[in-house]
Amino acid sequence: MMKHIENSLRNILENTPSAGHDVTHSLRVRDLCMHLAHAEGGDIQVLEAAALLHDIGRPAEFRDPAADHAVISAQLAPDILSGAGFPSRKVPAVVYAIQHHRYSSGVLPDTLEARILQDADRLDISGALGAAMTFAYSGALNRNLYHSSDPLAEHRQLDGDTYALDHILSKLLHLPCSMHTVTARMMAEERTRFLDRFVEQLAGEITLCRRQPDE
Ligand SMILES: [Fe+2]
Ligand SMILES: [Fe+2]
């Protein structure tokens, strides 16, 4: 059953433009959900199916930026679930978790499974993976690595839509405090400590490059 769902995910996301959110992200989110559920509880079947299918609407959103991939994923999921023989009584819980997986929607999900999926989704963009995915996404959108004269935004507003480093500074370094579950918060804090060190190293290298020879 789950293999069928995973194969559907691969058919939809493999070989499509992903800008860093490729099929491996969905597989890691599934694994993170299983890890979090071990400590926090939740329905394993609902979580695994929701994690595998949560981003299948991304190719549609990539084609039409006005579309919401959470809505599209939730619309596509029931057919895949019924084709896989997934228990029909659990389909609404999967659809709900998918619909509410975007933390940026500002809605606090009602179910434990939806909260765990939100946590796992953001946990996967924290730490080293978060930096890697940010640079991949920024490259796909032709964004700059950092602001040329004020890389750390000491004298300007952060602009994560224009500079990859700004996205890390404004969003990724603050992910731990947005986690719903204790387990996810602890994991995010550990990953973010690495990201802090990465930014420190990056800033040092940028500063050295910008220094004049006679300084
Ligand atoms: Fe998503
Ligand atoms: Fe995701």
Side-chain angles (χ1 to χ4, degrees):
M1 178 176 69
M2 286 303 170
K3 203 63 201 167
H4 181 107
I5 297 172
E6 184 178 324
N7 287 340
S8 298
L9 161 75
R10 290 181 184 278
N11 287 338
I12 294 169
L13 288 193
E14 272 179 350
N15 305 316
T16 58
S18 64
H21 269 78
D22 60 31
V23 69
T24 64
H25 162 69
S26 299
L27 297 172
R28 288 192 304 270
V29 170
R30 183 265 312 271
D31 295 344
L32 284 167
C33 278
M34 298 300 95
H35 183 79
L36 293 176
H38 188 70
E40 303 283 341
D43 186 306
I44 295 290
Q45 275 187 324
V46 169
L47 268 172
E48 186 166 5
L52 287 171
L53 301 179
H54 80 284
D55 275 345
I56 55 173
R58 270 196 180 272
E61 187 181 274
F62 204 72
R63 288 190 296 272
D64 174 14
D68 181 342
H69 73 267
V71 173
I72 297 166
S73 299
Q75 287 168 348
L76 295 172
D79 275 354
I80 294 171
L81 293 170
S82 85
F86 191 83
S88 55
R89 70 181 191 287
K90 293 188 178 184
V91 170
V94 176
V95 170
Y96 179 85
I98 293 173
Q99 262 171 347
H100 295 87
H101 83 266
R102 300 184 84 170
Y103 179 77
S104 57
S105 70
V107 178
L108 178 66
D110 287 333
T111 66
L112 176 59
E113 290 80 9
R115 291 182 189 200
I116 287 177
L117 178 58
Q118 265 200 8
D119 279 1
D121 197 30
R122 277 169 303 124
L123 203 45
D124 194 55
I125 59 162
S126 64
L129 277 164
M133 290 167 76
T134 298
F135 294 135
Y137 186 72
S138 296
L141 270 59
N142 287 319
R143 291 175 178 173
N144 292 328
L145 212 48
Y146 58 86
H147 189 285
S148 61
S149 55
D150 188 5
L152 296 178
E154 289 163 315
H155 307 291
R156 63 182 176 84
Q157 294 283 315
L158 286 167
D159 181 3
D161 289 335
T162 304
Y163 306 106
L165 181 54
D166 280 23
H167 179 76
I168 293 174
L169 295 171
S170 64
K171 182 176 178 186
L172 302 197
L173 292 181
H174 304 285
L175 286 175
C177 58
S178 67
M179 296 291 162
H180 303 301
T181 64
V182 174
T183 310
R185 193 174 310 127
M186 286 168 60
M187 291 175 72
E189 281 168 357
E190 187 185 337
R191 290 177 177 211
T192 304
R193 277 194 287 276
F194 168 80
L195 199 54
D196 261 324
R197 291 200 304 278
F198 174 80
V199 169
E200 202 177 315
Q201 172 77 17
L202 190 67
E205 293 178 13
I206 292 169
T207 306
L208 194 66
C209 289
R210 293 172 67 230
R211 222 173 259 158
Q212 298 301 313
D214 57 347
E215 273 186 312

